[in-house]
Amino acid sequence: MPVQAIAFYLLAFVTLASGLLVVSAKNPVHSVLFLITAFFSAAGLFVLLGAEFLAMLLIVVYVGAVAVLFLFVVMMLDIDFAALRQGFVNNLPIGGLVGLVLVGEMIAVVAAVASNGAAAKQALPNASPGGVPNTEVIGRVLYTDYVFFFQLAGLVLLVAMIGAIVLTLRHKPGVKRQDIGKQVARTPKTGMELVQIKPGEGISE
């Protein structure tokens, strides 16, 4: 069996197994570790297909955002950090196993590419002529044929961001807030004055 076939089946199996373990693991720390493994394995599959740019995006964007995801999990589940530190030894075996799997996948992908069996070195049916890099090809397709869908996706993310701010914004009594309109409309005749403030004392109403 060729090296690239072995690498493909290995990465595919690890991706599916990690995806199942993400939703079945009871420990949120284990779920995050399995999620990293799934993303990393999917990135390896992209490399085998000759889509290095997508593989790098998957690692930089998704794996890089796992830390934020873990932060949200800790905030929502109210995990005791003291107990989490005490359970570091308990989580060490699963973390070491995930690390070994990732190292094995990197070795398999490098071996498959080095054996000239990667799809990047083969003639694909839809490959662009002239040896254009896949990054440029993705940019051309994304900003020409699918530019409206791209803008629509950005609009959806904007609405989601505004909705998250509205849902989490709380107006507490006694909290001073800026009023940009009043600040801009102030003039020397409407109460603008210079006040000499002593360090450490602040200013009273």
Side-chain angles (χ1 to χ4, degrees):
M1 183 180 292
V3 179
Q4 59 270 18
I6 297 175
F8 170 78
Y9 287 117
L10 174 64
L11 293 172
F13 173 77
V14 174
T15 302
L16 294 175
S18 301
L20 292 175
L21 290 173
V22 168
V23 297
S24 61
K26 296 181 180 180
N27 192 327
V29 179
H30 295 172
S31 296
V32 172
L33 292 176
F34 289 130
L35 187 61
I36 293 175
T37 308
F39 287 150
F40 203 90
S41 303
L45 292 174
F46 279 129
V47 173
L48 293 180
L49 291 173
E52 298 86 0
F53 180 71
L54 293 180
M56 184 58 63
L57 280 182
L58 190 62
I59 291 181
V60 172
V61 177
Y62 287 94
V63 178
V66 164
V68 180
L69 174 64
F70 178 73
L71 176 62
F72 284 141
V73 170
V74 172
M75 292 171 60
M76 290 188 296
L77 299 182
D78 194 18
I79 297 177
D80 188 3
F81 285 97
L84 190 61
R85 294 191 188 96
Q86 293 176 358
F88 175 76
V89 178
N90 297 330
N91 296 325
L92 187 59
I94 188 67
L97 178 61
V98 169
L100 290 177
V101 171
L102 297 183
V103 172
E105 289 179 349
M106 285 190 291
I107 295 175
V109 170
V110 171
V113 175
S115 64
N116 295 329
K121 299 183 181 298
Q122 296 178 357
L124 296 179
N126 297 325
S128 58
V132 180
N134 55 29
T135 306
E136 183 176 349
V137 174
I138 293 174
R140 289 179 180 179
V141 174
L142 184 62
Y143 294 108
T144 53
D145 298 338
Y146 299 98
V147 61
F148 296 109
F149 297 100
F150 180 77
Q151 295 294 336
L152 182 61
L155 182 62
V156 171
L157 292 176
L158 176 63
V159 173
M161 181 181 65
I162 296 175
I165 294 174
V166 171
L167 291 175
T168 56
L169 185 61
R170 297 291 183 271
H171 294 282
K172 297 181 180 179
V175 177
K176 294 183 178 180
R177 298 185 179 276
Q178 285 184 309
D179 191 336
I180 305 300
K182 291 183 178 180
Q183 292 178 352
V184 174
R186 289 185 65 180
T187 61
K189 296 182 180 180
T190 58
M192 183 182 294
E193 58 179 341
L194 296 177
V195 180
Q196 186 68 28
I197 302 176
K198 296 182 180 180
E201 294 185 0
I203 184 172
S204 60
E205 294 291 341

